[in-house]
Amino acid sequence: QSPVDRAKDIESVLDWCRSMDVPPVDDHGVPADFEKIPSIPVSRRTPEDRQKDVDNILSWIREGKPSDLDTPGDEFAKIDQMLPKKKGQSPVDRAKDIESVLDWCRSMDVPPVDDHGVPADFEKIPSIPVSRRTPEDRQKDVDNILSWIREGKPSDLDTPGDEFAKIDQMLPKKK
């Protein structure tokens, strides 16, 4: 990896940390947000219950997808309308896809559909992270990091070089 590419990698980490309001490194040398590990979502229902749901959805599909208000069929119909149809998808595969949405909704404590026909959590759109620094400031960072690399990567405490060194140690070396 060339020094210029390495400098750009380190600058990208710095820019991400600044845009996310995360200090580049804490006292342990690892960004604080990287220590948090979210739990893995696990279905609350037994495989037998989930298979029963698939069977019920499959029966609903084979009956011509009747839509009666206040029945599971109405719930199936709303989810069926939202899910894109896959080319050559069998009724069994479609039933499994619909059941997966139902299972996710139940696991996340989200009603499958609200009054508007759209799951409530899908209405939230997060903002796209945008760099708060100008391209000139980012280029200045790259130049400073490149100078640091060319000087032999000196590590002085409480200087930007120390911050560069910690990030440089965390990033894998590219070949």
Side-chain angles (χ1 to χ4, degrees), residues 17-53:
C17 289
R18 289 174 180 142
S19 67
M20 302 304 267
D21 288 328
V22 174
V25 287
D26 64 7
D27 294 336
H28 306 300
V30 177
D33 278 2
F34 292 157
E35 293 175 6
K36 299 175 186 170
I37 299 175
S39 62
I40 298 171
V42 178
S43 179
R44 296 178 183 176
R45 297 172 55 86
T46 66
E48 293 80 14
D49 288 339
R50 291 190 67 190
Q51 184 58 48
K52 184 177 176 185
D53 284 341

Side-chain angles (χ1 to χ4, degrees), residues 6 28 33 109 116 122:
R6 189 68 182 171
H28 306 300
D33 278 2
D109 287 328
H116 304 297
F122 292 161

Side-chain angles (χ1 to χ4, degrees), residues 15-16 18-20 127-134 138:
D15 186 58
W16 180 87
R18 289 174 180 142
S19 67
M20 302 304 267
S127 62
I128 298 171
V130 178
S131 179
R132 297 177 188 170
R133 299 171 53 81
T134 65
R138 292 188 68 189

Side-chain angles (χ1 to χ4, degrees), residues 47-67:
E48 293 80 14
D49 288 339
R50 291 190 67 190
Q51 184 58 48
K52 184 177 176 185
D53 284 341
V54 170
D55 294 341
N56 290 340
I57 295 166
L58 193 55
S59 295
W60 171 79
I61 290 171
R62 289 180 176 153
E63 291 169 5
K65 301 181 181 180
S67 183

Side-chain angles (χ1 to χ4, degrees), residues 28 53 61 75 118 146 153 165 167 172:
H28 306 300
D53 284 341
I61 290 171
E75 205 171 65
V118 178
L146 195 52
K153 301 182 179 181
I167 293 172

Side-chain angles (χ1 to χ4, degrees), residues 10-170:
I10 293 171
E11 187 280 328
S12 293
V13 171
L14 281 172
D15 186 58
W16 180 87
C17 289
R18 289 174 180 142
S19 67
M20 302 304 267
D21 288 328
V22 174
V25 287
D26 64 7
D27 294 336
H28 306 300
V30 177
D33 278 2
F34 292 157
E35 293 175 6
K36 299 175 186 170
I37 299 175
S39 62
I40 298 171
V42 178
S43 179
R44 296 178 183 176
R45 297 172 55 86
T46 66
E48 293 80 14
D49 288 339
R50 291 190 67 190
Q51 184 58 48
K52 184 177 176 185
D53 284 341
V54 170
D55 294 341
N56 290 340
I57 295 166
L58 193 55
S59 295
W60 171 79
I61 290 171
R62 289 180 176 153
E63 291 169 5
K65 301 181 181 180
S67 183
D68 301 322
L69 295 176
D70 299 325
T71 65
D74 186 48
E75 205 171 65
F76 301 160
K78 290 178 180 178
I79 293 171
D80 184 49
Q81 289 174 345
M82 286 188 288
L83 280 177
K85 294 184 178 28
K86 297 174 186 170
K87 186 176 181 180
Q89 186 175 35
S90 71
V92 173
D93 290 338
R94 187 65 180 175
K96 287 179 181 179
D97 285 351
I98 293 170
E99 188 280 329
S100 292
V101 171
L102 278 173
D103 186 59
W104 179 86
C105 290
R106 290 171 179 147
S107 296
M108 303 303 276
D109 287 328
V110 174
V113 280
D114 64 8
D115 295 336
H116 304 297
V118 178
D121 277 4
F122 292 161
E123 294 174 7
K124 300 174 187 172
I125 300 175
S127 62
I128 298 171
V130 178
S131 179
R132 297 177 188 170
R133 299 171 53 81
T134 65
E136 293 80 15
D137 288 340
R138 292 188 68 189
Q139 184 59 48
K140 185 177 177 185
D141 283 343
V142 170
D143 293 340
N144 290 339
I145 296 165
L146 195 52
S147 295
W148 172 77
I149 290 171
R150 290 179 177 151
E151 291 170 5
K153 301 182 179 181
S155 183
D156 301 322
L157 294 178
D158 299 326
T159 66
D162 186 48
E163 193 174 68
F164 300 159
K166 288 179 180 178
I167 293 172
D168 185 47
Q169 288 175 348
M170 286 190 289

